[in-house]
Amino acid sequence: MEWLILFLINWILFFALIDWKTLKTNIWGGVFAACMQIFVDSQFISHGYYRIHRPIISVLGSSLFFILGPVFVIGVLFTQYHPAKKWAVILYVPVVSTMFSIVEFFLLKRKALEYMNWQQIDSIGVNIAAIGLLSWVCITILDKRKDLNS
């Protein structure tokens, strides 16, 4: 049930915050985020680092509702709102990484996620790296670098 609630909350945010005019470009941030999450989670789950409980629909051990909810939606919105100024990017990545880590903490508390050979600090590191990589995609591939030198 946690996965479905998270999915619904994220899609409400999506419809409330999306800029339909830029979706054609920004959707690639969501696609990239989803592909990255599927790859990373499937590897870590297969190595026994953590386990997903009650996924409703499982995709390589992860929840389809997680992939299409917070991962895809926040990937699109992250891309849409990606700042152009360097100083703002330096703040943006840790703030979004922290938000993902907080969601993960709540999933742990609800027992929808279980760590076996993993710790919260490991996830924080992976979240920062993943959001940093998504930021790089925004800047270099999706050309979100207007006024980046300011």
PDB file of all heavy atoms in Angstrom, residues 25-53:
ATOM      1  N   THR A  25      11.248  17.761 -23.524  1.00  0.00           N
ATOM      2  CA  THR A  25      12.659  17.676 -23.125  1.00  0.00           C
ATOM      3  C   THR A  25      12.798  17.066 -21.745  1.00  0.00           C
ATOM      4  O   THR A  25      13.613  16.171 -21.516  1.00  0.00           O
ATOM      5  CB  THR A  25      13.303  19.076 -23.127  1.00  0.00           C
ATOM      6  OG1 THR A  25      13.212  19.614 -24.438  1.00  0.00           O
ATOM      7  CG2 THR A  25      14.752  19.020 -22.695  1.00  0.00           C
ATOM      8  N   ASN A  26      12.002  17.535 -20.801  1.00  0.00           N
ATOM      9  CA  ASN A  26      12.164  17.138 -19.397  1.00  0.00           C
ATOM     10  C   ASN A  26      11.801  15.686 -19.119  1.00  0.00           C
ATOM     11  O   ASN A  26      12.289  15.098 -18.151  1.00  0.00           O
ATOM     12  CB  ASN A  26      11.350  18.072 -18.501  1.00  0.00           C
ATOM     13  CG  ASN A  26      11.856  19.488 -18.583  1.00  0.00           C
ATOM     14  OD1 ASN A  26      13.029  19.721 -18.848  1.00  0.00           O
ATOM     15  ND2 ASN A  26      10.977  20.441 -18.378  1.00  0.00           N
ATOM     16  N   ILE A  27      10.991  15.089 -19.970  1.00  0.00           N
ATOM     17  CA  ILE A  27      10.609  13.694 -19.759  1.00  0.00           C
ATOM     18  C   ILE A  27      11.832  12.779 -19.783  1.00  0.00           C
ATOM     19  O   ILE A  27      11.856  11.741 -19.125  1.00  0.00           O
ATOM     20  CB  ILE A  27       9.538  13.249 -20.785  1.00  0.00           C
ATOM     21  CG1 ILE A  27       8.834  11.981 -20.283  1.00  0.00           C
ATOM     22  CG2 ILE A  27      10.148  13.053 -22.168  1.00  0.00           C
ATOM     23  CD1 ILE A  27       7.564  11.667 -21.050  1.00  0.00           C
ATOM     24  N   TRP A  28      12.874  13.209 -20.519  1.00  0.00           N
ATOM     25  CA  TRP A  28      14.088  12.394 -20.601  1.00  0.00           C
ATOM     26  C   TRP A  28      14.800  12.295 -19.259  1.00  0.00           C
ATOM     27  O   TRP A  28      15.483  11.307 -18.977  1.00  0.00           O
ATOM     28  CB  TRP A  28      15.001  12.906 -21.704  1.00  0.00           C
ATOM     29  CG  TRP A  28      14.340  12.689 -23.025  1.00  0.00           C
ATOM     30  CD1 TRP A  28      13.781  13.641 -23.839  1.00  0.00           C
ATOM     31  CD2 TRP A  28      14.079  11.432 -23.649  1.00  0.00           C
ATOM     32  NE1 TRP A  28      13.210  13.044 -24.931  1.00  0.00           N
ATOM     33  CE2 TRP A  28      13.379  11.686 -24.843  1.00  0.00           C
ATOM     34  CE3 TRP A  28      14.370  10.109 -23.315  1.00  0.00           C
ATOM     35  CZ2 TRP A  28      12.967  10.677 -25.703  1.00  0.00           C
ATOM     36  CZ3 TRP A  28      13.968   9.101 -24.171  1.00  0.00           C
ATOM     37  CH2 TRP A  28      13.277   9.392 -25.340  1.00  0.00           C
ATOM     38  N   GLY A  29      14.647  13.299 -18.411  1.00  0.00           N
ATOM     39  CA  GLY A  29      15.191  13.208 -17.056  1.00  0.00           C
ATOM     40  C   GLY A  29      14.506  12.101 -16.270  1.00  0.00           C
ATOM     41  O   GLY A  29      15.148  11.346 -15.537  1.00  0.00           O
ATOM     42  N   GLY A  30      13.191  11.970 -16.447  1.00  0.00           N
ATOM     43  CA  GLY A  30      12.444  10.903 -15.790  1.00  0.00           C
ATOM     44  C   GLY A  30      12.803   9.535 -16.333  1.00  0.00           C
ATOM     45  O   GLY A  30      12.952   8.574 -15.572  1.00  0.00           O
ATOM     46  N   VAL A  31      12.948   9.439 -17.638  1.00  0.00           N
ATOM     47  CA  VAL A  31      13.333   8.160 -18.264  1.00  0.00           C
ATOM     48  C   VAL A  31      14.722   7.749 -17.785  1.00  0.00           C
ATOM     49  O   VAL A  31      14.943   6.591 -17.407  1.00  0.00           O
ATOM     50  CB  VAL A  31      13.274   8.263 -19.803  1.00  0.00           C
ATOM     51  CG1 VAL A  31      13.905   7.042 -20.459  1.00  0.00           C
ATOM     52  CG2 VAL A  31      11.838   8.461 -20.275  1.00  0.00           C
ATOM     53  N   PHE A  32      15.665   8.697 -17.779  1.00  0.00           N
ATOM     54  CA  PHE A  32      17.016   8.395 -17.315  1.00  0.00           C
ATOM     55  C   PHE A  32      17.010   7.961 -15.850  1.00  0.00           C
ATOM     56  O   PHE A  32      17.650   6.971 -15.485  1.00  0.00           O
ATOM     57  CB  PHE A  32      17.939   9.607 -17.506  1.00  0.00           C
ATOM     58  CG  PHE A  32      19.347   9.346 -17.046  1.00  0.00           C
ATOM     59  CD1 PHE A  32      20.226   8.634 -17.836  1.00  0.00           C
ATOM     60  CD2 PHE A  32      19.773   9.790 -15.804  1.00  0.00           C
ATOM     61  CE1 PHE A  32      21.516   8.374 -17.396  1.00  0.00           C
ATOM     62  CE2 PHE A  32      21.053   9.536 -15.358  1.00  0.00           C
ATOM     63  CZ  PHE A  32      21.935   8.824 -16.155  1.00  0.00           C
ATOM     64  N   ALA A  33      16.274   8.692 -15.019  1.00  0.00           N
ATOM     65  CA  ALA A  33      16.202   8.358 -13.587  1.00  0.00           C
ATOM     66  C   ALA A  33      15.624   6.956 -13.390  1.00  0.00           C
ATOM     67  O   ALA A  33      16.133   6.174 -12.585  1.00  0.00           O
ATOM     68  CB  ALA A  33      15.365   9.394 -12.847  1.00  0.00           C
ATOM     69  N   ALA A  34      14.563   6.622 -14.122  1.00  0.00           N
ATOM     70  CA  ALA A  34      13.935   5.302 -13.991  1.00  0.00           C
ATOM     71  C   ALA A  34      14.893   4.197 -14.438  1.00  0.00           C
ATOM     72  O   ALA A  34      15.014   3.165 -13.755  1.00  0.00           O
ATOM     73  CB  ALA A  34      12.636   5.253 -14.792  1.00  0.00           C
ATOM     74  N   CYS A  35      15.572   4.391 -15.540  1.00  0.00           N
ATOM     75  CA  CYS A  35      16.530   3.381 -16.023  1.00  0.00           C
ATOM     76  C   CYS A  35      17.668   3.192 -15.023  1.00  0.00           C
ATOM     77  O   CYS A  35      18.073   2.064 -14.727  1.00  0.00           O
ATOM     78  CB  CYS A  35      17.088   3.779 -17.388  1.00  0.00           C
ATOM     79  SG  CYS A  35      15.891   3.658 -18.732  1.00  0.00           S
ATOM     80  N   MET A  36      18.178   4.305 -14.499  1.00  0.00           N
ATOM     81  CA  MET A  36      19.258   4.244 -13.519  1.00  0.00           C
ATOM     82  C   MET A  36      18.788   3.514 -12.260  1.00  0.00           C
ATOM     83  O   MET A  36      19.500   2.672 -11.712  1.00  0.00           O
ATOM     84  CB  MET A  36      19.723   5.667 -13.192  1.00  0.00           C
ATOM     85  CG  MET A  36      20.927   5.737 -12.301  1.00  0.00           C
ATOM     86  SD  MET A  36      21.632   7.393 -12.087  1.00  0.00           S
ATOM     87  CE  MET A  36      20.236   8.472 -12.045  1.00  0.00           C
ATOM     88  N   GLN A  37      17.574   3.815 -11.798  1.00  0.00           N
ATOM     89  CA  GLN A  37      17.050   3.184 -10.587  1.00  0.00           C
ATOM     90  C   GLN A  37      16.848   1.691 -10.791  1.00  0.00           C
ATOM     91  O   GLN A  37      17.188   0.895  -9.914  1.00  0.00           O
ATOM     92  CB  GLN A  37      15.743   3.864 -10.174  1.00  0.00           C
ATOM     93  CG  GLN A  37      15.160   3.352  -8.880  1.00  0.00           C
ATOM     94  CD  GLN A  37      14.238   2.156  -9.065  1.00  0.00           C
ATOM     95  OE1 GLN A  37      13.599   2.007 -10.101  1.00  0.00           O
ATOM     96  NE2 GLN A  37      14.173   1.305  -8.061  1.00  0.00           N
ATOM     97  N   ILE A  38      16.298   1.301 -11.918  1.00  0.00           N
ATOM     98  CA  ILE A  38      16.091  -0.125 -12.189  1.00  0.00           C
ATOM     99  C   ILE A  38      17.426  -0.857 -12.190  1.00  0.00           C
ATOM    100  O   ILE A  38      17.558  -1.928 -11.584  1.00  0.00           O
ATOM    101  CB  ILE A  38      15.342  -0.337 -13.524  1.00  0.00           C
ATOM    102  CG1 ILE A  38      13.894   0.130 -13.400  1.00  0.00           C
ATOM    103  CG2 ILE A  38      15.398  -1.798 -13.959  1.00  0.00           C
ATOM    104  CD1 ILE A  38      13.170   0.229 -14.738  1.00  0.00           C
ATOM    105  N   PHE A  39      18.420  -0.286 -12.835  1.00  0.00           N
ATOM    106  CA  PHE A  39      19.731  -0.930 -12.885  1.00  0.00           C
ATOM    107  C   PHE A  39      20.342  -1.053 -11.490  1.00  0.00           C
ATOM    108  O   PHE A  39      20.752  -2.139 -11.074  1.00  0.00           O
ATOM    109  CB  PHE A  39      20.690  -0.161 -13.808  1.00  0.00           C
ATOM    110  CG  PHE A  39      22.079  -0.723 -13.797  1.00  0.00           C
ATOM    111  CD1 PHE A  39      22.364  -1.895 -14.484  1.00  0.00           C
ATOM    112  CD2 PHE A  39      23.088  -0.105 -13.085  1.00  0.00           C
ATOM    113  CE1 PHE A  39      23.637  -2.438 -14.457  1.00  0.00           C
ATOM    114  CE2 PHE A  39      24.366  -0.641 -13.054  1.00  0.00           C
ATOM    115  CZ  PHE A  39      24.644  -1.805 -13.737  1.00  0.00           C
ATOM    116  N   VAL A  40      20.405   0.050 -10.768  1.00  0.00           N
ATOM    117  CA  VAL A  40      21.045   0.051  -9.446  1.00  0.00           C
ATOM    118  C   VAL A  40      20.285  -0.851  -8.470  1.00  0.00           C
ATOM    119  O   VAL A  40      20.875  -1.717  -7.821  1.00  0.00           O
ATOM    120  CB  VAL A  40      21.169   1.488  -8.892  1.00  0.00           C
ATOM    121  CG1 VAL A  40      21.598   1.488  -7.433  1.00  0.00           C
ATOM    122  CG2 VAL A  40      22.155   2.289  -9.731  1.00  0.00           C
ATOM    123  N   ASP A  41      18.969  -0.665  -8.361  1.00  0.00           N
ATOM    124  CA  ASP A  41      18.200  -1.468  -7.414  1.00  0.00           C
ATOM    125  C   ASP A  41      18.227  -2.952  -7.758  1.00  0.00           C
ATOM    126  O   ASP A  41      18.348  -3.790  -6.856  1.00  0.00           O
ATOM    127  CB  ASP A  41      16.760  -0.978  -7.322  1.00  0.00           C
ATOM    128  CG  ASP A  41      16.574   0.101  -6.268  1.00  0.00           C
ATOM    129  OD1 ASP A  41      17.577   0.555  -5.695  1.00  0.00           O
ATOM    130  OD2 ASP A  41      15.420   0.486  -6.023  1.00  0.00           O
ATOM    131  N   SER A  42      18.117  -3.299  -9.020  1.00  0.00           N
ATOM    132  CA  SER A  42      18.126  -4.729  -9.373  1.00  0.00           C
ATOM    133  C   SER A  42      19.456  -5.364  -8.984  1.00  0.00           C
ATOM    134  O   SER A  42      19.481  -6.507  -8.501  1.00  0.00           O
ATOM    135  CB  SER A  42      17.827  -4.937 -10.857  1.00  0.00           C
ATOM    136  OG  SER A  42      18.871  -4.434 -11.667  1.00  0.00           O
ATOM    137  N   GLN A  43      20.556  -4.640  -9.162  1.00  0.00           N
ATOM    138  CA  GLN A  43      21.859  -5.170  -8.769  1.00  0.00           C
ATOM    139  C   GLN A  43      21.970  -5.308  -7.257  1.00  0.00           C
ATOM    140  O   GLN A  43      22.395  -6.348  -6.750  1.00  0.00           O
ATOM    141  CB  GLN A  43      22.983  -4.263  -9.307  1.00  0.00           C
ATOM    142  CG  GLN A  43      23.114  -4.287 -10.801  1.00  0.00           C
ATOM    143  CD  GLN A  43      23.334  -5.688 -11.325  1.00  0.00           C
ATOM    144  OE1 GLN A  43      24.280  -6.378 -10.941  1.00  0.00           O
ATOM    145  NE2 GLN A  43      22.441  -6.147 -12.183  1.00  0.00           N
ATOM    146  N   PHE A  44      21.601  -4.262  -6.535  1.00  0.00           N
ATOM    147  CA  PHE A  44      21.735  -4.288  -5.080  1.00  0.00           C
ATOM    148  C   PHE A  44      20.786  -5.301  -4.444  1.00  0.00           C
ATOM    149  O   PHE A  44      21.142  -5.964  -3.469  1.00  0.00           O
ATOM    150  CB  PHE A  44      21.509  -2.897  -4.495  1.00  0.00           C
ATOM    151  CG  PHE A  44      22.641  -1.925  -4.775  1.00  0.00           C
ATOM    152  CD1 PHE A  44      22.560  -0.624  -4.340  1.00  0.00           C
ATOM    153  CD2 PHE A  44      23.777  -2.294  -5.478  1.00  0.00           C
ATOM    154  CE1 PHE A  44      23.582   0.285  -4.583  1.00  0.00           C
ATOM    155  CE2 PHE A  44      24.809  -1.408  -5.735  1.00  0.00           C
ATOM    156  CZ  PHE A  44      24.708  -0.111  -5.282  1.00  0.00           C
ATOM    157  N   ILE A  45      19.589  -5.440  -4.996  1.00  0.00           N
ATOM    158  CA  ILE A  45      18.637  -6.426  -4.492  1.00  0.00           C
ATOM    159  C   ILE A  45      19.161  -7.839  -4.762  1.00  0.00           C
ATOM    160  O   ILE A  45      19.116  -8.704  -3.884  1.00  0.00           O
ATOM    161  CB  ILE A  45      17.234  -6.203  -5.095  1.00  0.00           C
ATOM    162  CG1 ILE A  45      16.618  -4.924  -4.513  1.00  0.00           C
ATOM    163  CG2 ILE A  45      16.325  -7.401  -4.854  1.00  0.00           C
ATOM    164  CD1 ILE A  45      15.372  -4.438  -5.246  1.00  0.00           C
ATOM    165  N   SER A  46      19.690  -8.068  -5.959  1.00  0.00           N
ATOM    166  CA  SER A  46      20.196  -9.412  -6.301  1.00  0.00           C
ATOM    167  C   SER A  46      21.413  -9.795  -5.464  1.00  0.00           C
ATOM    168  O   SER A  46      21.665 -10.975  -5.241  1.00  0.00           O
ATOM    169  CB  SER A  46      20.517  -9.511  -7.795  1.00  0.00           C
ATOM    170  OG  SER A  46      21.688  -8.789  -8.106  1.00  0.00           O
ATOM    171  N   HIS A  47      22.166  -8.805  -4.981  1.00  0.00           N
ATOM    172  CA  HIS A  47      23.321  -9.078  -4.120  1.00  0.00           C
ATOM    173  C   HIS A  47      22.943  -9.176  -2.643  1.00  0.00           C
ATOM    174  O   HIS A  47      23.804  -9.386  -1.794  1.00  0.00           O
ATOM    175  CB  HIS A  47      24.395  -8.007  -4.313  1.00  0.00           C
ATOM    176  CG  HIS A  47      25.076  -8.085  -5.640  1.00  0.00           C
ATOM    177  ND1 HIS A  47      25.945  -9.085  -5.987  1.00  0.00           N
ATOM    178  CD2 HIS A  47      24.972  -7.289  -6.732  1.00  0.00           C
ATOM    179  CE1 HIS A  47      26.371  -8.901  -7.220  1.00  0.00           C
ATOM    180  NE2 HIS A  47      25.794  -7.822  -7.705  1.00  0.00           N
ATOM    181  N   GLY A  48      21.657  -9.005  -2.344  1.00  0.00           N
ATOM    182  CA  GLY A  48      21.179  -9.180  -0.977  1.00  0.00           C
ATOM    183  C   GLY A  48      21.442  -8.005  -0.058  1.00  0.00           C
ATOM    184  O   GLY A  48      21.487  -8.178   1.162  1.00  0.00           O
ATOM    185  N   TYR A  49      21.587  -6.808  -0.615  1.00  0.00           N
ATOM    186  CA  TYR A  49      21.816  -5.636   0.236  1.00  0.00           C
ATOM    187  C   TYR A  49      20.522  -5.169   0.900  1.00  0.00           C
ATOM    188  O   TYR A  49      20.516  -4.752   2.051  1.00  0.00           O
ATOM    189  CB  TYR A  49      22.413  -4.483  -0.560  1.00  0.00           C
ATOM    190  CG  TYR A  49      23.799  -4.790  -1.091  1.00  0.00           C
ATOM    191  CD1 TYR A  49      24.169  -4.413  -2.365  1.00  0.00           C
ATOM    192  CD2 TYR A  49      24.743  -5.465  -0.314  1.00  0.00           C
ATOM    193  CE1 TYR A  49      25.432  -4.681  -2.862  1.00  0.00           C
ATOM    194  CE2 TYR A  49      26.008  -5.752  -0.794  1.00  0.00           C
ATOM    195  CZ  TYR A  49      26.341  -5.354  -2.075  1.00  0.00           C
ATOM    196  OH  TYR A  49      27.575  -5.631  -2.559  1.00  0.00           O
ATOM    197  N   TYR A  50      19.435  -5.208   0.155  1.00  0.00           N
ATOM    198  CA  TYR A  50      18.135  -4.851   0.707  1.00  0.00           C
ATOM    199  C   TYR A  50      17.046  -5.571  -0.063  1.00  0.00           C
ATOM    200  O   TYR A  50      17.293  -6.208  -1.078  1.00  0.00           O
ATOM    201  CB  TYR A  50      17.898  -3.331   0.734  1.00  0.00           C
ATOM    202  CG  TYR A  50      18.181  -2.592  -0.551  1.00  0.00           C
ATOM    203  CD1 TYR A  50      17.253  -2.537  -1.582  1.00  0.00           C
ATOM    204  CD2 TYR A  50      19.379  -1.903  -0.712  1.00  0.00           C
ATOM    205  CE1 TYR A  50      17.514  -1.834  -2.746  1.00  0.00           C
ATOM    206  CE2 TYR A  50      19.645  -1.199  -1.874  1.00  0.00           C
ATOM    207  CZ  TYR A  50      18.713  -1.172  -2.891  1.00  0.00           C
ATOM    208  OH  TYR A  50      18.972  -0.477  -4.037  1.00  0.00           O
ATOM    209  N   ARG A  51      15.831  -5.477   0.465  1.00  0.00           N
ATOM    210  CA  ARG A  51      14.689  -6.182  -0.114  1.00  0.00           C
ATOM    211  C   ARG A  51      13.466  -5.271  -0.074  1.00  0.00           C
ATOM    212  O   ARG A  51      13.280  -4.511   0.865  1.00  0.00           O
ATOM    213  CB  ARG A  51      14.420  -7.436   0.720  1.00  0.00           C
ATOM    214  CG  ARG A  51      13.281  -8.284   0.236  1.00  0.00           C
ATOM    215  CD  ARG A  51      13.090  -9.529   1.075  1.00  0.00           C
ATOM    216  NE  ARG A  51      14.386 -10.162   1.332  1.00  0.00           N
ATOM    217  CZ  ARG A  51      14.677 -10.879   2.391  1.00  0.00           C
ATOM    218  NH1 ARG A  51      13.776 -11.098   3.317  1.00  0.00           N
ATOM    219  NH2 ARG A  51      15.867 -11.409   2.552  1.00  0.00           N
ATOM    220  N   ILE A  52      12.657  -5.381  -1.117  1.00  0.00           N
ATOM    221  CA  ILE A  52      11.405  -4.637  -1.215  1.00  0.00           C
ATOM    222  C   ILE A  52      10.271  -5.574  -0.793  1.00  0.00           C
ATOM    223  O   ILE A  52      10.189  -6.695  -1.279  1.00  0.00           O
ATOM    224  CB  ILE A  52      11.158  -4.164  -2.671  1.00  0.00           C
ATOM    225  CG1 ILE A  52      12.318  -3.318  -3.182  1.00  0.00           C
ATOM    226  CG2 ILE A  52       9.828  -3.447  -2.798  1.00  0.00           C
ATOM    227  CD1 ILE A  52      12.566  -2.041  -2.459  1.00  0.00           C
ATOM    228  N   HIS A  53       9.414  -5.108   0.103  1.00  0.00           N
ATOM    229  CA  HIS A  53       8.261  -5.895   0.538  1.00  0.00           C
ATOM    230  C   HIS A  53       6.977  -5.298  -0.050  1.00  0.00           C
ATOM    231  O   HIS A  53       6.857  -4.087  -0.197  1.00  0.00           O
ATOM    232  CB  HIS A  53       8.150  -5.910   2.064  1.00  0.00           C
ATOM    233  CG  HIS A  53       9.301  -6.606   2.727  1.00  0.00           C
ATOM    234  ND1 HIS A  53       9.473  -7.964   2.676  1.00  0.00           N
ATOM    235  CD2 HIS A  53      10.346  -6.108   3.431  1.00  0.00           C
ATOM    236  CE1 HIS A  53      10.573  -8.285   3.335  1.00  0.00           C
ATOM    237  NE2 HIS A  53      11.123  -7.171   3.807  1.00  0.00           N
TER     238      HIS A  53
END
